[in-house]
């Protein structure tokens, strides 16, 4: 897959930038500030849409919806891009917010042209509220903004992903994501549980390990599971991590088959994640470290320096 | 987060099941077959919606859209659940298909009541095509079905996630996902690239490592990056994996702070992923192993057996 510009490690700050801001060598697939200000007559026209006006009342900048006025002026390329989206009869397209580190789908709303323009320029996920008929930047009340690292359009150009990092829980209920009602759970008569959110495999595993950890506190009797044994015995856990790392390495050195490599990597990942739980570190924090490092070519730089 | 029933490892097969099929202890957050057949008079009525009829022309079962006729009869709970969704004025809700292992958003369409009912019963992601005004099961032409492991509704009950495993590329273009147009790339004048897809951090890192791997073949000169050095030197790579595993362990044994643990885990993960690249194993395959194992309490069982 192709590359992209380094990402800001946290909520991006952005000031009007020259074209030299766009690096030609791109390390990982996150983009940083991208628009180039264009102080055209059209941009200054009062009849132009707000994202083309330099209107203090609506202007936005520098990764903050509360930024200083007068900073917004948008490249005509933004207009062209906005026009290329297939807006529906109401001028809307589906907009999905996704956590850049975990891949969790946080929420789904709709964007109109202005909402997408504002998201592009402010890098705060912004939607069009159909009930209020107005723009709505997620976090403008709760302060739990979704800091957008990249935006994707689908092949039909009628669906948008805001790929970003949330400042806090996205759902108004306080849940991390709005998707916590499993249809199959509901059909079994199970009450929905905000802790039972839509998660992909890695985070389901993390949740399972966390539950085992809680059980080590609440449950005193019964035969403990392997995870619980590991959670309660640091020496055992450490020896297993060493052993699994050795077995992964062996699949390379002894040219074992690919399924063996996948299996040993799964073992290593699982045991290392138990250690993360003991240390109360979330996988999301690890991924954030990786993102920051790679956006600075950090691991490579650091590792290379270590070797020289 | 709470738990769920074990998932089928691949496309689930499903036969009518008794309530004893639903385990009370749930290992990971994937569900398996859930509906209980109900041969009510209503279900047999020709005036009932198709998902309540036992109509050979539309019946579906056992995780396959091509299954034997006559097998469908749906619990009234499904009707209740379908009625609880806030369908819009056209009877539609947004339906997003997400890869259960990687978290990648594969595509977005719309579902009506029938499409959701069919997805619940067949476990193949099914949508309502607005252009053709008909149900459309993703894969019915390409055979690249999306095998649904769980379905989530959002807090407003007007947005649906089909969490599943795709049989192959989802996009009609042959791309893994339909989202391969980065807005910020486009604004920089970069052509879109189907290999530059929406990816969260882990898979962006995997892509970066893959590009370095390709460069070791295509580029002969220049100072190689650290990743390239690792890719070209198995002994170096293996010694680094051992070293990073040791440093991760040290953060536990010497009670180092959490940021150190996150940092060392990032190092271990990165180096192990370079080994995966050398062995041509995708992280998705590793996660599939973890999902299969955890859905059978596999790791714990296996690991426990190893120790006894």
């Amino acid at each position: 897959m192709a590359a992209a510009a380094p990402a800001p490690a946290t909520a991006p700050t952005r000031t009007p930038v020259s074209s030299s801001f766009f690096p030609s060598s791109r390390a990982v697939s996150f983009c940083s500030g991208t628009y180039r200000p264009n102080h055209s007559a059209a941009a200054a026209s009062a009849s132009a849409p707000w994202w083309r006006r330099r209107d203090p009342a609506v202007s936005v900048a520098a990764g903050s919806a509360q930024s200083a006025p007068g900073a917004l002026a948008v490249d005509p390329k933004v207009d062209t891009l906005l026009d290329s989206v297939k807006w529906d009869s109401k001028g809307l397209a589906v907009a999905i917010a996704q956590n850049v580190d975990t891949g969790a789908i946080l929420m789904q709303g709709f964007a109109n042209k202005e909402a997408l323009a504002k998201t592009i320029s402010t890098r705060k996920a912004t939607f069009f509220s159909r009930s209020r008929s107005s723009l709505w930047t997620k976090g403008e009340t709760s302060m739990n903004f979704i800091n957008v690292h990249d935006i994707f359009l689908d092949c039909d150009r009628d669906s948008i992903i805001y790929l970003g990092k949330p400042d806090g829980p996205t759902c108004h209920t306080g849940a991390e994501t709005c998707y916590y009602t499993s249809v199959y759970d509901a059909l079994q008569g199970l009450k929905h549980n905000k802790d039972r959110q839509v998660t992909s495999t890695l985070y389901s595993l993390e949740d399972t390990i966390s539950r085992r950890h809680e059980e080590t506190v609440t449950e005193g009797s019964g035969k403990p599971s392997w995870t619980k044994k590991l959670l309660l015995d640091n020496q055992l856990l450490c020896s297993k991590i060493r052993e699994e790392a050795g077995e992964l390495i062996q699949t390379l050195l002894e040219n074992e088959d690919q399924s063996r490599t996948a299996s040993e990597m799964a073992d290593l990942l699982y045991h290392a994640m138990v250690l993360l739980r003991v240390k109360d570190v979330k996988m999301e924090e690890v991924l954030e470290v990786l993102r920051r490092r790679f956006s600075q070519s950090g691991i490579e730089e650091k590792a290379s320096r270590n070797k020289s």
Side-chain angles (χ1 to χ4, degrees), chain A:
Chain A
M1 296 191 187
T10 56
T13 57
R14 186 174 49 72
T15 50
V17 289
S18 73
S19 61
S20 65
F21 186 74
F22 311 126
S24 57
S25 73
R26 300 175 301 152
V28 290
S29 41
F30 308 107
C31 291
S32 55
T34 50
Y35 84 69
R36 283 177 284 180
N38 185 302
H39 306 284
S40 67
S45 163
S47 63
W50 75 257
W51 65 90
R52 298 179 62 206
R53 275 184 261 144
R54 304 191 65 206
D55 179 347
V58 295
S59 64
V60 284
S64 163
Q66 288 79 43
S67 297
L72 188 70
V74 177
D75 194 322
K77 283 180 182 171
V78 174
D79 273 344
T80 306
L81 185 132
L82 294 170
D83 286 339
S84 78
V85 175
K86 286 189 190 155
W87 307 102
D88 70 11
S89 59
K90 293 176 180 167
L92 301 175
V94 167
I96 303 160
Q98 184 178 28
N99 185 315
V100 64
D101 285 328
T102 67
I105 298 176
L106 300 170
M107 61 166 288
Q108 175 258 310
F110 291 85
N112 63 359
K113 203 178 267 194
E114 287 182 308
L116 179 56
K118 190 166 180 180
T119 303
I120 290 170
S121 62
T122 65
R123 288 180 174 267
K124 304 286 180 189
T126 299
F127 303 88
F128 179 79
S129 166
R130 294 176 300 169
S131 58
R132 286 175 287 163
S133 292
S134 62
L135 286 199
W136 168 66
T137 297
K138 166 65 197 163
E140 64 188 17
T141 305
S142 66
M143 302 307 289
N144 289 334
F145 294 97
I146 298 172
N147 304 289
V148 172
H149 289 253
D150 209 343
I151 302 171
F152 280 82
L153 302 176
D154 77 343
C155 52
D156 295 331
R157 298 181 89 87
D158 63 0
S159 184
I160 302 164
I161 294 175
Y162 294 154
L163 190 66
K165 190 74 181 175
D167 282 331
T170 294
C171 188
H172 70 285
T173 61
E176 185 188 335
T177 97
C178 294
Y179 297 88
Y180 52 78
T181 302
S182 158
V183 163
Y184 291 114
D185 277 6
L187 292 177
Q188 290 177 52
L190 299 172
K191 285 184 181 172
H192 65 249
N193 177 349
K194 275 182 275 182
D195 289 336
R196 163 84 165 94
Q197 299 181 8
V198 65
T199 46
S200 54
T201 295
L202 199 62
Y203 307 95
S204 291
L205 173 58
E206 185 172 54
D207 292 342
T208 301
I209 294 168
S210 282
R211 283 194 303 280
R212 299 287 175 272
H213 186 255
E214 287 160 21
E215 289 163 8
T216 62
V217 179
T218 57
E219 295 176 15
S221 61
K223 187 172 179 288
S225 69
W226 177 244
T227 303
K228 284 186 206 166
K229 282 185 188 168
L230 293 169
L231 286 162
L232 293 165
D233 185 342
N234 288 353
Q235 291 298 336
L236 173 64
L237 176 57
C238 291
S239 75
K240 283 301 298 180
I241 292 172
R242 264 194 214 96
E243 180 185 319
E244 298 301 347
E247 290 181 1
L248 176 65
I249 288 165
Q250 186 178 312
T251 72
L252 177 61
L253 297 180
E254 300 191 11
N255 199 24
E256 293 176 346
D257 67 22
Q258 289 171 311
S259 66
R260 186 84 190 152
T261 301
S263 174
E264 296 301 343
M265 179 65 179
D267 282 342
L268 176 59
L269 195 50
Y270 157 73
H271 285 90
M273 286 175 73
V274 176
L275 186 146
L276 292 187
R277 177 56 265 186
V278 174
K279 291 289 290 179
D280 198 16
V281 171
K282 299 283 281 183
M283 183 54 85
E284 184 170 358
E285 296 170 60
V286 175
L287 293 171
E288 202 167 309
V289 169
L290 282 170
R291 175 165 49 80
R292 291 181 184 192
R293 286 194 188 167
F294 265 79
S295 57
Q296 303 152 9
S297 293
I299 277 191
E300 300 202 352
E301 190 277 330
K302 172 180 172 282
S304 181
R305 200 172 56 225
N306 283 348
K307 297 304 291 179
S308 62

